[in-house]
Amino acid sequence: MDTNIVTFEMYKGKIRKQISLLDEKKKYVNLLSVYDMLVCERMAKSLITKLINEGFERVEATTVAENACLSLMCLTDEFFSPVFSDVDSLMRTLTSEDILKVVNEYNLLRKEYMGFDRLNNIELENIKKN
């Protein structure tokens, strides 16, 4: 069995992976830029505060906020348009299992694209030196 099968695609300079959610429309998990990750973190911090003010425990609020914001930022249609306009609509539409699926697919995409898990210690040391 070939372990080097690539499941992501590069489209218009972006790395993405198709995911099955909700309906028959194509949806993709996209690898986020550094800027997008910073925006995602800022949104998550705001959502954590909102959820805590609504009575949720900090640990629960943090997990929900981080996963929901990552899902919002990385989930698009085939034309790179966001599937959801805001976190509230995402949280009202997707189940916790759907959000977890998006987060897991994002992590797999990142790991597969980066590929550092396939490098041995000598190769990693060479990367660190250069």
Side-chain angles (χ1 to χ4, degrees):
M1 185 165 130
D2 186 5
T3 58
N4 292 326
I5 296 173
V6 175
T7 61
F8 63 86
E9 67 181 23
M10 186 165 227
Y11 181 74
K12 295 189 176 183
K14 302 231 180 198
I15 307 301
R16 68 184 189 173
K17 182 177 194 175
Q18 191 169 348
I19 188 171
S20 297
L21 285 178
L22 302 173
D23 51 26
E24 296 299 316
K25 295 180 182 175
K26 287 185 178 179
K27 292 178 181 53
Y28 292 88
V29 172
N30 297 273
L31 198 59
L32 298 179
S33 68
V34 173
Y35 178 78
D36 290 338
M37 285 303 294
L38 292 172
V39 170
C40 184
E41 285 181 25
R42 186 174 350 143
M43 279 190 336
K45 286 180 183 178
S46 296
L47 184 56
I48 290 167
T49 303
K50 177 183 174 193
L51 292 172
I52 289 171
N53 289 338
E54 291 178 5
F56 291 93
E57 297 292 326
R58 176 172 289 283
V59 173
E60 183 180 50
T62 300
T63 301
V64 168
E66 289 174 351
N67 289 343
C69 290
L70 177 62
S71 296
L72 177 71
M73 293 291 295
C74 75
L75 197 58
T76 64
D77 66 12
E78 60 187 307
F79 306 108
F80 294 107
S81 297
V83 174
F84 298 99
S85 58
D86 55 43
V87 176
D88 290 336
S89 63
L90 177 134
M91 288 174 45
R92 276 191 230 105
T93 306
L94 296 181
T95 65
S96 57
E97 290 81 13
D98 290 334
I99 292 173
L100 192 56
K101 182 178 181 179
V102 172
V103 170
N104 287 335
E105 286 296 322
Y106 182 83
N107 288 329
L108 286 172
L109 173 63
R110 202 176 101 226
K111 186 176 182 181
E112 184 179 342
Y113 178 71
M114 296 303 209
F116 288 118
D117 61 317
R118 295 188 199 124
L119 301 177
N120 63 37
N121 288 339
I122 295 171
E123 291 169 324
L124 283 173
E125 287 302 317
N126 285 335
I127 290 172
K128 289 178 187 177
K129 291 177 185 176
N130 295 324

